[in-house]
Amino acid sequence: MKKLFLLSASALTLFSCIDNESADKMEQNDSGKKYSFTERPYGKVEGKEITEYTLTNPSGMQVSIINYGGTVTKLMTKDKKDTPGNVILGYDTLTGYLQKSNPYFNALVGRYGNRIAAGKFTLDGNNYTLAGNNNGNSLHGGNKGYDKVVWTAKKLSDSSLQLNYLSEDGEEGYPGNLSIQAIYTLTGDNGLKIDYTATTDKATPINLTSHCYFNLSAGADSTILNHELQMAADKYTPVNDVLIPTGQIADVKGTPMDFTTAKQIGKEIAQVPGGYDHNWVLNKKDDGLEKVASLHESTSGRMMEVWTTEPGLQFYSGNFLDGTLTNTKDGKKYVKHAALCLETQHFPDSPNQPSFPNTILKPGETYRHTTVYKFSAK
Ligand code: BGC
């Protein structure tokens, strides 16, 4: 409505100057509130400055992001009484994010999110070996994935932060110089949108995702077992004992993996050895942006929808959290199932699974992925 009004009142100005500044003005809401964008120093990694950027939308939703790992350090959304709360796990300072056992808290993950079996794949007749950093398999890009590198940040507008990273040929064993851009945008309808693009100069596997740990109770409930989850997925990819897909695509119907209607996460988790840590095959018709999951926490009333262009969704129920992480926000103990991740992705181990959707990016092509985490309360 606001946009329409602006169009009639100042159409000429709008048409002649669609730049970041005018985009910012259009981002006011009807009560005249605006977006704000602030930044503050957050420390140094390998001699490089780390900055925390905080974006606030007109209705008060707020996200803070650092250029170390493209990590979200805070995500404030309102509950049904309009009280804001932080819905992700995190640490008080950079020291927390740098601890060795930090399990990818809220970071951008790549070059290949999730696992590649035995850290090996063959591409164009060449054999590649990656770090076997997880039971001999490669997890989340290897020893130093994109969660542990310093990205270059640029403010695009009061509602958008662009992060760039050039992943060099051979880095962590992957072929090709991969030039990556991730844009975080806080939308007017309380969405945190991430737009990824990437190009390469040699064929390479790619699977970028965001590893946010959500607990919609904002600290009131120590686990997510009472959250209700729904996923638009009739099928999932079963895994072996080290979480590598068997190659089978199985029906969820009649199993604890069935979230086609909203279900409490704790209801059948005991029947899943280790807890939920699987890739669901989304019922999407194409690679358009679709709503694929909803999460609800009834006490706070907070609701989160996940929208994505990707074919898969890793639902990880925080099984490996064990209360031992240090420097946590407010000294909280992050126990088993303290939070969950809904990682939009291509299927794990796709480079070794010919029947899974393609994850190879070739020179001349552009990798594109959009995901939105959208918040409300009821
Ligand atoms: C994986 C888990 C892993 C976790 C790391 C998830 O994406 O599926 O197996 O432990 O990331 O925090």
Side-chain angles (χ1 to χ4, degrees), residues 40 51 74 77 117 128 135 139 156 160 164 167 175 180 195 225 243 253-254 281 292 315 317 369 371 375:
R40 67 172 180 120
T51 303
K74 196 161 76 177
T77 75
Y128 294 93
N135 290 314
L139 176 66
L156 290 185
S160 280
N164 283 82
S167 173
I180 312 159
D195 290 297
L225 296 174
L243 298 170
K253 210 176 159 68
V281 177
V292 296
F315 163 37
S317 52
H369 164 181
T371 288
F375 296 86

Coordinates of all heavy atoms in Angstrom, one line a residue, residues 40 51 74 77 117 128 135 139 156 160 164 167 175 180 195 225 243 253-254 281 292 315 317 369 371 375:
R40 N 29.1 -2.4 14.8 CA 30.1 -2.2 15.9 C 31.2 -3.2 15.8 O 31.0 -4.3 15.2 CB 29.4 -2.4 17.2 CG 28.9 -3.8 17.6 CD 28.4 -3.9 19.0 NE 27.9 -5.2 19.3 CZ 28.4 -6.0 20.2 NH1 29.4 -5.6 21.0 NH2 27.9 -7.2 20.4
T51 N 33.2 -7.4 12.3 CA 32.2 -6.3 12.6 C 30.9 -7.0 12.8 O 30.6 -8.0 12.1 CB 32.1 -5.3 11.4 OG1 33.4 -4.7 11.3 CG2 31.1 -4.2 11.7
K74 N 22.4 -12.8 16.6 CA 21.1 -12.6 17.4 C 20.0 -12.4 16.4 O 20.1 -11.9 15.3 CB 21.3 -11.2 18.1 CG 20.3 -11.0 19.2 CD 20.7 -10.0 20.2 CE 20.5 -8.6 19.7 NZ 20.8 -7.5 20.6
T77 N 12.7 -11.7 17.6 CA 11.3 -11.7 17.0 C 10.3 -11.6 18.2 O 10.6 -12.0 19.3 CB 11.0 -13.0 16.2 OG1 10.8 -14.1 17.1 CG2 12.2 -13.3 15.2
A117 N 30.6 -38.8 1.5 CA 31.1 -40.1 2.1 C 32.6 -40.3 1.9 O 33.1 -40.1 0.8 CB 30.3 -41.3 1.4
Y128 N 39.1 -36.6 -6.1 CA 39.3 -35.6 -5.1 C 39.2 -36.1 -3.7 O 38.3 -37.0 -3.5 CB 38.3 -34.4 -5.3 CG 38.5 -33.7 -6.6 CD1 37.8 -34.0 -7.8 CD2 39.5 -32.7 -6.7 CE1 38.0 -33.4 -9.0 CE2 39.7 -32.0 -7.9 CZ 39.0 -32.4 -9.0 OH 39.2 -31.7 -10.2
N135 N 33.9 -38.8 11.4 CA 33.8 -40.3 11.3 C 34.4 -40.7 9.9 O 33.9 -41.6 9.3 CB 32.4 -40.8 11.4 CG 31.9 -40.7 12.8 OD1 32.6 -41.1 13.7 ND2 30.7 -40.2 12.9
L139 N 32.4 -33.3 6.5 CA 31.2 -32.6 7.0 C 31.3 -31.1 6.8 O 32.3 -30.5 7.2 CB 30.9 -32.9 8.5 CG 29.7 -32.2 9.1 CD1 28.4 -32.6 8.5 CD2 29.7 -32.5 10.6
L156 N 24.1 -3.0 1.6 CA 23.5 -2.7 0.4 C 22.4 -1.7 0.6 O 22.1 -0.8 -0.3 CB 22.8 -4.0 -0.2 CG 23.8 -5.0 -0.7 CD1 23.0 -6.2 -1.4 CD2 24.8 -4.5 -1.7
S160 N 19.6 -4.7 4.0 CA 20.4 -5.7 3.3 C 21.9 -5.7 3.6 O 22.5 -4.6 3.4 CB 20.2 -5.7 1.8 OG 19.0 -6.2 1.4
N164 N 30.7 -11.5 0.8 CA 31.4 -12.1 -0.3 C 32.5 -12.9 0.2 O 33.2 -12.5 1.2 CB 31.9 -11.1 -1.3 CG 30.9 -10.5 -2.1 OD1 30.1 -9.6 -1.7 ND2 30.7 -11.0 -3.3
S167 N 36.5 -18.6 -2.5 CA 37.1 -19.8 -2.0 C 38.0 -20.3 -3.1 O 37.6 -20.7 -4.2 CB 35.9 -20.8 -1.8 OG 36.4 -22.1 -1.5
P175 N 37.8 -28.4 -6.1 CA 38.4 -27.8 -7.4 C 37.7 -26.5 -7.7 O 36.5 -26.3 -7.5 CB 38.0 -28.8 -8.4 CG 36.8 -29.5 -7.9 CD 36.9 -29.5 -6.4
I180 N 31.7 -16.4 -4.2 CA 30.4 -16.6 -3.5 C 29.8 -15.3 -3.0 O 30.6 -14.5 -2.4 CB 30.5 -17.5 -2.3 CG1 31.2 -18.8 -2.6 CG2 29.1 -17.9 -1.7 CD1 31.8 -19.5 -1.5
D195 N 19.9 -14.8 0.1 CA 20.1 -15.1 -1.3 C 21.6 -15.4 -1.6 O 22.4 -14.6 -1.3 CB 19.8 -13.8 -2.2 CG 18.3 -13.5 -2.2 OD1 17.5 -14.3 -2.6 OD2 17.9 -12.4 -1.6
L225 N 11.7 -29.9 22.3 CA 10.9 -31.1 22.1 C 9.4 -30.8 22.1 O 8.6 -31.6 21.6 CB 11.2 -32.1 23.3 CG 12.7 -32.6 23.2 CD1 13.0 -33.5 24.4 CD2 12.9 -33.4 21.9
L243 N 25.6 -41.6 9.2 CA 24.7 -40.5 8.6 C 25.0 -40.2 7.1 O 24.8 -39.1 6.6 CB 24.8 -39.2 9.4 CG 24.4 -39.4 10.9 CD1 24.7 -38.2 11.7 CD2 22.9 -39.6 10.9
K253 N 5.4 -42.0 5.5 CA 4.1 -42.4 6.0 C 4.3 -43.6 6.9 O 5.0 -44.6 6.6 CB 3.2 -42.8 4.8 CG 1.8 -42.6 5.1 CD 0.9 -42.9 3.8 CE -0.5 -43.2 4.2 NZ -1.3 -42.3 4.7
G254 N 3.6 -43.5 8.1 CA 3.7 -44.6 9.0 C 5.0 -44.7 9.8 O 5.2 -45.7 10.5
V281 N 13.0 -35.0 1.6 CA 12.8 -34.7 0.2 C 11.6 -33.9 0.0 O 10.5 -34.4 0.2 CB 12.8 -36.0 -0.7 CG1 12.5 -35.7 -2.1 CG2 14.0 -36.8 -0.4
V292 N 8.0 -24.6 2.8 CA 8.3 -26.1 2.9 C 8.2 -26.5 4.3 O 8.1 -27.8 4.6 CB 9.7 -26.4 2.3 CG1 9.7 -26.2 0.8 CG2 10.8 -25.7 3.1
F315 N 16.6 -31.6 8.8 CA 16.1 -31.3 10.1 C 17.0 -32.0 11.1 O 17.1 -33.3 11.2 CB 14.6 -31.8 10.2 CG 14.1 -31.9 11.6 CD1 14.5 -31.0 12.6 CD2 13.2 -33.0 12.0 CE1 14.1 -31.1 13.9 CE2 12.8 -33.1 13.3 CZ 13.2 -32.2 14.3
S317 N 17.9 -32.2 15.1 CA 17.3 -31.9 16.4 C 18.3 -31.6 17.5 O 18.0 -31.9 18.7 CB 16.2 -32.9 16.8 OG 16.8 -34.2 16.8
H369 N 20.4 -19.8 -4.9 CA 19.6 -20.4 -3.8 C 19.1 -19.3 -2.9 O 19.8 -18.4 -2.6 CB 20.6 -21.3 -3.0 CG 20.1 -21.8 -1.6 ND1 20.9 -22.5 -0.8 CD2 19.0 -21.5 -0.9 CE1 20.2 -22.8 0.3 NE2 19.1 -22.2 0.3
T371 N 16.5 -18.7 0.5 CA 15.8 -19.3 1.6 C 15.3 -18.1 2.5 O 16.0 -17.1 2.7 CB 16.7 -20.2 2.5 OG1 16.9 -21.4 1.7 CG2 16.0 -20.6 3.8
F375 N 8.8 -15.0 10.4 CA 8.3 -15.1 11.7 C 7.0 -14.4 12.0 O 6.7 -13.4 11.4 CB 9.4 -14.5 12.7 CG 10.7 -15.3 12.7 CD1 11.6 -15.1 11.7 CD2 10.8 -16.4 13.6 CE1 12.8 -15.8 11.7 CE2 12.0 -17.1 13.5 CZ 13.0 -16.8 12.6

